[in-house]
Amino acid sequence: MIVEQGPAKHPWVLGARPRTLPASVMPVLVGTGAAVAYGHAMWWRAVLAGVVAVAMQVGVNYANDYSDGVKGTDATRVGPLRLVASGLASPAAVKRAALGAFAVAGLAGLVLAAVAGWWLVAVGLVCVVAAWSYTGGPKPYGYVGLGEVSVFTFFGLVATVGTAYVQTGRITGLETLASVPVGLMAVALLVVNNLRDIPGDSLVGKRTLAVRLGPKATRAFYGACLLGAIALVLPLALIRPWALLGLGALVAAVAPVRRVASGAEGKALIPVLGATGRAQLVLGVLLAVGLAL
């Protein structure tokens, strides 16, 4: 769903795309910050929620590598290495890695469901189906421009509210509102990835939102997501004043926004992906601390 470039040497580490992990870490941080705000933080549950989120993210990345590889839609991409498309791993091996990561997420999720509510099992199953069908199956929704909706929903609303819920046992307006900037940051990560891949995706028939909007509108959308996420700290501060700490993420956000707005394209956007992930992590940490104080 979200791709990255990193310095790691081992191909399986590269295939897991570790620099995308802020997309899974941020909602756990923010959701736990909301739990602290209500005086109900349970750290072992927060850790398990983190295991679920990170394992799901890794599973999504391997699943996309597998599905795009066997479909041949990675053949013209300019982004970082893919295991199947590059021939460094067989499709079967990458598929097993994806299923293994989903299994880890499932096991941790079952423990949380046992203590917080068995209905969470249904939520987890929906998450796995959404992860696989993003680029997998006969009608992958990521190929028709719905990836951003999925990312916002699962890496924003579901992950943030879910993290808070397994600790507090309730759903409140605080973590629900906080999930919006979390989701927007995850969307920004996907948007800059898809902006880079517009030429190749157009050639293979992938009608991502970036392909549909075109480069100019996609650049504006990226900036709106990244800066809009930080701006949403302001309404959160009406509930938890220390949430204003999140405005400090502007320091990390300015450079990637400027780079995208200046017209960077192709491989020049690969570093922007890492910079976006760093801005995402900075906002997550600052917002979590602000909610907790």
Side-chain angles (χ1 to χ4, degrees):
M1 185 175 298
I2 304 171
V3 302
E4 62 92 36
Q5 172 81 357
K9 301 298 184 180
H10 198 286
W12 283 100
V13 176
L14 286 174
R17 303 166 214 165
R19 288 188 182 177
T20 67
L21 296 186
S24 54
V25 173
M26 184 182 182
V28 176
L29 291 174
V30 174
T32 300
V36 173
Y38 287 111
H40 293 293
M42 301 182 70
W43 298 106
W44 70 271
R45 296 190 186 188
V47 170
L48 279 180
V51 171
V52 172
V54 172
M56 282 295 299
Q57 171 77 68
V58 172
V60 166
N61 289 337
Y62 282 142
N64 292 344
D65 191 310
Y66 165 77
S67 296
D68 284 339
V70 296
K71 287 182 171 73
T73 55
D74 273 345
T76 57
R77 70 192 305 273
V78 297
L81 172 145
R82 290 289 189 101
L83 293 169
V84 175
S86 66
L88 287 174
S90 69
V94 176
K95 184 178 182 179
R96 286 194 298 270
L99 295 176
F102 290 145
V104 171
L107 288 173
L110 282 174
V111 176
L112 288 173
V115 296
W118 287 109
W119 63 273
L120 292 172
V121 173
V123 176
L125 290 174
V126 171
C127 290
V128 172
V129 171
W132 188 266
S133 56
Y134 175 72
T135 56
K139 295 183 179 180
Y141 64 85
Y143 286 15
V144 294
L146 295 176
E148 286 75 9
V149 174
S150 177
V151 163
F152 181 86
T153 300
F154 293 103
F155 285 93
L157 180 63
V158 174
T160 307
V161 174
T163 297
Y165 178 81
V166 297
Q167 297 179 68
T168 66
R170 57 178 177 162
I171 297 175
T172 72
L174 179 61
E175 65 265 21
T176 303
L177 179 58
S179 73
V180 178
V182 174
L184 287 177
M185 290 298 284
V187 169
L189 205 61
L190 178 60
V191 169
V192 73
N193 170 75
N194 288 344
L195 172 63
R196 183 201 63 219
D197 289 342
I198 285 177
D201 287 345
S202 299
L203 285 175
V204 297
K206 291 177 67 173
R207 299 287 293 169
T208 64
L209 184 61
V211 170
R212 292 175 180 273
L213 292 177
K216 183 177 180 180
T218 300
R219 294 177 191 280
F221 184 42
Y222 169 79
C225 287
L226 200 59
L227 298 179
I230 298 173
L232 284 172
V233 164
L234 297 175
L236 276 169
L238 297 176
I239 307 173
R240 304 291 293 180
W242 280 102
L244 287 173
L245 286 173
L247 293 176
L250 280 170
V251 176
V254 168
V257 169
R258 283 181 174 173
R259 185 66 172 155
V260 169
S262 70
E265 57 186 13
K267 292 184 177 180
L269 286 169
I270 294 175
V272 177
L273 189 66
T276 304
R278 289 190 291 272
Q280 187 177 33
L281 190 57
V282 170
L283 178 59
V285 170
L286 292 177
L287 187 52
V289 171
L291 293 178
L293 290 176

